[in-house]
Amino acid sequence: MSDTLSIGLDFGTTNTVITTITPTGERLHHSYPSSFGESRNFRSLICYWEDDDRGVSVLDHSSGPYGISDYLEWGSDQRLIMSMKSYLGDTSFSRTQILGRQLSIENMIAHFLSDMLEKTGLDLSEHRVKISAGRPVVFVGARADEQLALTRLRAALGNAGLKDVQFIYEPAAAGYRFGKSSEAKGHVLVADFGGGTSDFSILKLKREGAQLYQPVAHSGIGLAGDRFDSQIFNHAIAPMLGKGSEYRSFGKDLRIPWQNGNFMWHRMSLMNNKKDLQFWKNLQRYAHEPEKIDRLIRVIEEGLLFQINRVVLQTKEALSQSMETLIDMREIGLDIVITVTRDDFEKWIAEDLQKIEACVQVVLDQAELPPDQVDRVFMTGGTSYIPAVRAIFAQKFGADKLSGGNEFSSVADGLAEMAFDQITDQS
């Protein structure tokens, strides 16, 4: 019997999940107790701060729910980095300055993964390790460089001590796990909605003793949960922070430059630097609505982006259950109260929904499979709960064909199963 640990690592834009299968076949579904409760989802963020080690200033960090707790306790004295996966294929991003230190994306992801692995309690030095790591079909970014993204991700994993790694499409991994269930039959479309990407795989499942699967086609698009979050932010909250307002310059009224790349949702955590702050403070003096720019400056200086992001997530979840909800930011010190309806939200994401539907059609065309020959649709990831997203698949394939379950862990579970089965087949 092999003494190898089989690890499935689903490093996500919003959440990261690890599943381990021991050499005896025991499944370890790692979870993390914290002040927020216990969860298998390890939030994909890292908190940095300066620490004094015997008179020498060092950069320390914590991640996931523990990073959130540290950040909320110490606030603007620390830096919070979110959505790190979104930078992997970005050729314009190589490194950033964190509290006076230059860090690459590989550094930050390695720090994050090391923190997470420590919290699992696994001692990887006691076993050989085989790692199946998920990857999206398409990385985030209009011109994302796939080879660069994979090179960076492999380097980050290596720096965190994870050496023997194979990359597997995330929807294929979820489909592998689903393929062992009693619901699986014929052709299955797996729709995996992450934070940064929506990925689709068509698998052909066979029943020959143990159920097997054969990948037929894959497609993906670089938009999903984060994109929907940013639509809520851009339409409901950003106007209260100056978006759409004007300022006076050389006798002309000009629009506040919210189209600047720094306002991409996953980049906003990098705005707390002298150059950006000075830009907004100078602009505030000429703004027609200076109180809105003042709010923005407070968000940057006081490090309120995470709190705003949490409000946005709560809004999105509420609109999946109700037709209307209230965005109330008074608890985080901002005088912003806004009513948002599900109709509003669906109008904001209408173009994104069309792109997702078109991407589903791409995978069908690649597989040369009409919708009525898809036997099951397995939907996974948090965005699969959004009614307008589910409606795409219900209308195209029939509501009776939709399946789900373990929406936040199916990819990691499938990755671990694939690694374990490979080891078993070889032994």
Side-chain angles (χ1 to χ4, degrees):
M1 180 180 292
S2 171
D3 64 347
T4 303
L5 287 177
S6 303
I7 295 179
L9 172 62
D10 179 19
F11 169 54
T13 304
T14 306
N15 294 296
T16 297
V17 180
I18 289 181
T19 300
T20 300
I21 304 179
T22 69
T24 62
E26 179 186 4
R27 272 64 174 169
L28 304 178
H29 299 133
H30 303 288
S31 60
Y32 311 91
S34 71
S35 58
F36 303 101
E38 186 165 353
S39 174
R40 287 196 66 188
N41 294 331
F42 196 86
R43 187 71 188 271
S44 300
L45 55 78
I46 186 165
C47 177
Y48 286 102
W49 68 90
E50 284 188 304
D51 204 355
D52 188 274
D53 184 12
R54 299 180 182 180
V56 178
S57 178
V58 297
L59 191 65
D60 209 344
H61 52 83
S62 59
S63 301
Y66 314 102
I68 294 172
S69 294
D70 289 337
Y71 181 74
L72 294 178
E73 181 176 357
W74 299 106
S76 59
D77 292 334
Q78 307 193 17
R79 291 289 303 278
L80 190 72
I81 307 298
M82 301 187 293
S83 300
M84 292 171 285
K85 189 177 179 181
S86 298
Y87 300 101
L88 282 170
D90 188 346
T91 56
S92 68
F93 182 91
S94 58
R95 57 187 59 245
T96 190
Q97 189 172 75
I98 305 291
L99 300 175
R101 281 84 166 177
Q102 291 288 326
L103 294 181
S104 67
I105 185 62
E106 296 94 326
N107 294 146
M108 292 186 287
I109 293 175
H111 292 162
F112 164 79
L113 292 172
S114 296
D115 288 345
M116 183 180 187
L117 288 168
E118 181 182 351
K119 295 299 183 181
T120 66
L122 286 173
D123 186 352
L124 300 184
S125 64
E126 294 183 350
H127 298 273
R128 283 182 286 184
V129 179
K130 184 173 184 61
I131 300 143
S132 293
R135 56 148 295 180
V137 176
V138 175
F139 283 89
V140 173
R143 298 177 181 174
D145 186 322
E146 176 176 331
Q147 193 55 52
L148 175 65
L150 290 173
T151 299
R152 285 173 165 176
L153 185 53
R154 189 178 294 279
L157 291 166
N159 291 341
L162 304 175
K163 305 292 185 182
D164 184 8
V165 179
Q166 62 175 344
F167 290 114
I168 294 170
Y169 285 139
E170 290 156 359
Y176 191 86
R177 181 73 179 118
F178 178 69
K180 295 186 176 184
S181 74
S182 60
E183 291 185 77
K185 61 178 181 179
H187 286 96
V188 174
L189 169 66
V190 181
D192 176 32
F193 297 99
T197 61
S198 298
D199 297 305
F200 310 100
S201 289
I202 289 180
L203 314 175
K204 185 177 182 180
L205 295 160
K206 302 178 180 180
R207 293 179 181 270
E208 297 176 1
Q211 289 172 263
L212 304 175
Y213 92 112
Q214 175 185 347
V216 177
H218 308 282
S219 69
I221 187 169
L223 66 85
D226 268 12
R227 172 69 175 178
F228 292 168
D229 298 343
S230 69
Q231 296 288 27
I232 293 173
F233 176 80
N234 286 330
H235 287 88
I237 299 171
M240 305 301 291
L241 305 177
K243 183 179 181 181
S245 296
E246 295 183 337
Y247 69 104
R248 192 76 174 170
S249 177
F250 296 102
K252 296 183 179 180
D253 291 330
L254 302 175
R255 186 67 62 90
I256 298 289
W258 264 82
Q259 71 274 18
N260 187 297
N262 284 336
F263 283 97
M264 291 171 62
W265 180 253
H266 67 273
R267 288 183 177 270
M268 288 190 68
S269 58
L270 305 178
M271 287 179 57
N272 192 3
N273 61 74
K274 185 176 180 180
K275 180 180 177 181
D276 280 336
L277 280 170
Q278 192 57 53
F279 170 82
W280 291 109
K281 288 178 179 179
N282 289 339
L283 188 144
Q284 183 186 16
R285 294 186 300 172
Y286 305 102
H288 294 337
E289 298 175 287
E291 72 282 359
K292 293 185 176 182
I293 307 303
D294 181 64
R295 289 194 194 107
L296 175 61
I297 293 170
R298 285 182 56 205
V299 167
I300 298 171
E301 288 187 324
E302 297 176 22
L304 298 179
L305 179 61
F306 173 75
Q307 290 88 329
I308 293 176
N309 179 239
R310 190 159 58 172
V311 170
V312 168
L313 288 172
Q314 291 169 349
T315 301
K316 184 173 67 174
E317 291 170 5
L319 292 174
S320 293
Q321 303 296 324
S322 306
M323 299 302 296
E324 182 177 293
T325 191
L326 193 68
I327 296 177
D328 189 343
M329 294 193 171
R330 289 172 294 188
E331 288 189 4
I332 64 174
L334 297 175
D335 56 332
I336 297 175
V337 181
I338 308 163
T339 298
V340 179
T341 69
R342 184 184 292 179
D343 285 344
D344 292 332
F345 178 50
E346 292 183 353
K347 288 176 184 175
W348 300 337
I349 65 173
E351 186 176 337
D352 300 326
L353 293 172
Q354 291 173 3
K355 292 178 180 178
I356 288 173
E357 185 171 8
C359 194
V360 172
Q361 188 59 50
V362 167
V363 78
L364 290 171
D365 291 343
Q366 289 178 357
E368 298 181 347
L369 197 68
D372 62 0
Q373 289 186 25
V374 172
D375 298 287
R376 301 296 297 178
V377 177
F378 180 70
M379 302 179 68
T380 188
T383 301
S384 66
Y385 288 110
I386 294 176
V389 172
R390 296 190 73 82
I392 292 173
F393 296 86
Q395 292 167 8
K396 200 173 194 70
F397 303 101
D400 59 317
K401 292 184 179 180
L402 305 189
S403 297
N406 299 320
E407 280 80 7
F408 295 100
S409 61
S410 60
V411 172
D413 293 346
L415 289 166
E417 294 276 357
M418 295 176 90
F420 182 76
D421 287 350
Q422 288 173 6
I423 293 169
T424 302
D425 291 342
Q426 293 168 3
S427 60

